[in-house]
Amino acid sequence: IPLRRLHEFTSQALANTVWSYATVGHSSPQLFHKVTDVALPRLDEFNSQAIANMVWAYAKVGHSSPQLFDEATKVALSLLFEFNSQQIANTVWAYATVVHSSPKLFDKAAEVALLRLHDFNSQNLANTVWAYAVSNFPSNVEFGTHPELVNLIVSSVDNFDEKELFQLHQWNLWVREKIGKSLLPLHVSGHCLKIFSSSRFSYSILQSDVARALHSTGVAFKEDAILNSGYRIDLLVSIGEKEIVIEVDGPSHFIGRSKKQNGKTMLKHRQIRALDNLKVISVPYW
C-alpha cells in the first residue's frame, strides 16, 4: 500500500486495511503509525463497525496508540447503542488487551451488552467477560456478576471451545476476587479449571538460563508448577517457608515492541497475587 495515498482512503477503507493486516498476523508499524495520523482528525466519520475493527486491529498486532484509543473512546461512546454484539466484544477486548483504561466506555458497553446478551455467541461472550476481568473496574462488578450473564454462560457452556473456557475460568477467578466466591455450578467451574490448568507449557531458552542460575545458588524450585488458581507458572521458588513465583516473560507478554505488559500477562500476575497470595517476579526478555 502506498503510504502517501492513505489520506485518500475512506474511514471504512482505513479500518478495513488495518483489520486485514491484523487478521493475517502481519505487523507493519509504519503503516499503523501512518493510519493513526490519517484517522485521528477524521474519527467522527467512522461508524460502529469501523471503530470496532480499528481498535481490534491495533490490539491484535500489539500496536500501542494511546491517543487513537482516547479519541476512539469518545466516538464509541456516542455510537454504542448502534454496536452489535461482536463489535462490543471486539472493542472491550481490544482496550483490555492493550491495557488502555476507559471506565466510561466499559460502563456504557456493559449497559448495552445487558440489553442484547442473547445476541452474543460463545466467542463474543468469552471475549467480553475476559475483557472485564482484565480491566477490573469496580463499577463493572455488577455486570460481571449479573444473574442473566451467569445464567447464559451456564446454559450455553457446551458451546464454548477450549480457548473460550480458558477465558471463562479467568472471568470466574475475577468474580472470586471481587465477591469471594464463584457463581458457577461446581461441574462448570471444575470443567473450566481442568481446561485452564491443562494448557500447554512452553519452555524458552531464557527460562532455562534462569533455572540454571537458580540451581547454581542452591535455591529450591519447581518448574511448570500449577497453583491452586489453576495458573501454570514458570518457576516456583522456595525460600524457607516462603514461596515466590518467577515468570520469564518473552515478547508475547508485552504490547508490541514496548516494555508494557499486555492484558493477558497483567491479569495472570494480578490474579496469582490476589488468589494464590504469592509474590510474582517478572523476568523480562530484554
Side-chain angles (χ1 to χ4, degrees), residues 1 3 6 14-40 53-65 68-69:
I1 294 174
L3 297 182
L6 278 175
L14 288 170
N16 289 349
T17 298
V18 291
W19 179 89
S20 298
Y21 272 69
T23 299
V24 297
H26 186 77
S27 177
S28 177
Q30 188 179 10
L31 171 68
F32 277 74
H33 278 305
K34 185 64 176 177
V35 169
T36 300
D37 292 340
V38 174
L40 271 173
N53 284 354
M54 175 83 79
V55 296
W56 177 87
Y58 276 69
K60 185 69 173 177
V61 300
H63 189 95
S64 181
S65 184
L68 179 70
F69 274 70

Side-chain angles (χ1 to χ4, degrees), residues 18 31 42 60 82 110 123 170 173 182 200 247 267 280:
V18 291
L31 171 68
R42 295 171 48 193
K60 185 69 173 177
E82 299 175 19
Q123 183 183 40
Q170 291 178 302
L173 291 179
S182 168
R200 291 181 182 178
E247 284 285 278
L267 176 64
V280 179

